[in-house]
């Protein structure tokens, strides 16, 4: 079983990255989200999920364990295959997490091959597995007055923690965020703040 591959990116095409590991090129199917973070002829590490069928042996490569976990959750849903899961995750694991937690079918149906029924099934089956619904912890020290703001901040906090960030990191990243912003904008604000550290 392959856990990850680490080496030089020798081929980078839409949906495919080839990683050279000691003279062996591993062809990995990748999302647009992962591909955007890879550079040709530079070193990279991809976490691997194998898919073995009678007629194919595919390697799916992910830039982070969070993205890989999201892929595994998606493919556990009846009717969601590897291709559909990769299409959904091309917008990034944070957008997928947000879509499930907020019940936003439009975010899911924006992915190629995902219809309304499949989107509803994904939300229904995965909502409890991602962040446990809306019972997210409050942000300590955050100025929140309206219930809607509380919900959005809680939602953003929960989604970011689901992506592996600690409560302290999330609170720091959301410092100075517009309390009137919706959950998706708050998540983007926090991720940007964490990337520019």
């Amino acid at each position: 079983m392959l856990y990850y591959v680490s080496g030089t990116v020798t081929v980078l095409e839409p949906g495919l990255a080839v990683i050279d590991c000691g003279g062996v090129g591993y062809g990995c199917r990748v999302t647009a989200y992962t591909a955007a973070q890879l550079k040709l002829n530079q070193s990279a590490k991809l976490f691997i999920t194998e898919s073995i069928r009678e007629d194919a042996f595919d390697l799916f490569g992910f830039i982070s364990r969070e993205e890989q976990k999201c892929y595994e959750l998606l493919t556990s849903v009846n009717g969601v295959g590897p291709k559909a899961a990769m299409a959904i995750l091309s917008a990034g694991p944070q957008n997928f997490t947000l879509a499930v937690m907020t019940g936003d079918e439009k975010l899911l149906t924006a992915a190629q091959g995902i219809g309304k029924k499949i989107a509803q099934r994904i939300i229904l089956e995965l909502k409890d597995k991602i962040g446990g619904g809306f019972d997210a912890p409050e942000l300590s020290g955050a100025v929140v007055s309206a219930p809607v703001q509380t919900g959005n901040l809680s939602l953003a906090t929960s989604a970011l923690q689901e992506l592996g960030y600690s409560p302290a990191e999330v609170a720091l990243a959301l410092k100075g965020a517009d309390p009137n912003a919706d959950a998706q904008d708050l998540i983007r604000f926090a991720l940007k703040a964490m990337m520019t550290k």
Side-chain angles (χ1 to χ4, degrees):
M1 178 183 132
L2 288 173
Y3 187 79
Y4 67 80
V5 293
S6 181
T8 305
V9 181
T10 55
V11 176
L12 192 55
E13 297 171 358
L16 176 73
V18 177
I19 311 292
D20 184 305
C21 306
V24 178
Y26 290 91
C28 305
R29 298 190 182 280
V30 293
T31 63
Y33 174 81
T34 287
Q37 297 177 66
L38 300 176
K39 285 185 181 171
L40 207 55
N41 301 318
Q42 292 197 8
S43 61
K45 177 180 179 179
L46 295 179
F47 293 92
I48 300 296
T49 296
E50 298 169 323
S51 174
I52 303 168
R53 300 190 310 275
E54 279 182 26
D55 58 341
F57 175 32
D58 290 320
L59 299 178
F60 294 90
F62 305 94
I63 200 74
S64 66
R65 279 285 291 131
E66 287 71 36
E67 189 188 22
Q68 185 185 39
K69 283 177 195 170
C70 289
Y71 171 82
E72 288 166 359
L73 277 173
L74 272 165
T75 52
S76 73
V77 176
N78 188 29
V80 180
K83 193 176 178 182
M86 296 297 272
I88 290 170
L89 290 173
S90 280
Q94 65 273 20
N95 280 337
F96 159 67
T97 302
L98 182 66
V100 173
M101 290 179 68
T102 58
D104 191 342
E105 293 169 22
K106 284 182 184 175
L107 267 176
L108 296 175
T109 54
Q112 194 176 355
I114 300 297
K116 193 173 179 180
K117 281 186 179 177
I118 292 287
Q120 287 171 341
R121 189 181 301 153
I122 289 168
I123 291 164
L124 185 69
E125 290 189 27
L126 300 183
K127 198 161 198 171
D128 289 339
K129 294 179 185 177
I130 297 179
F134 293 85
D135 301 325
E138 291 298 322
L139 277 181
S140 57
V143 181
V144 197
S145 53
V148 175
Q149 295 166 12
T150 304
N152 287 342
L153 277 170
S154 295
L155 212 49
T157 302
S158 189
L160 289 161
Q161 286 177 358
E162 194 63 35
L163 291 172
Y165 297 105
S166 71
E169 286 175 318
V170 173
L172 194 64
L174 283 169
K175 204 173 181 181
D178 178 6
N180 296 311
D182 63 27
Q184 196 167 358
D185 288 338
L186 288 168
I187 289 169
R188 285 200 188 107
F189 178 93
L191 289 170
K192 195 174 178 183
M194 285 188 253
M195 283 181 202
T196 54
K197 269 186 187 176

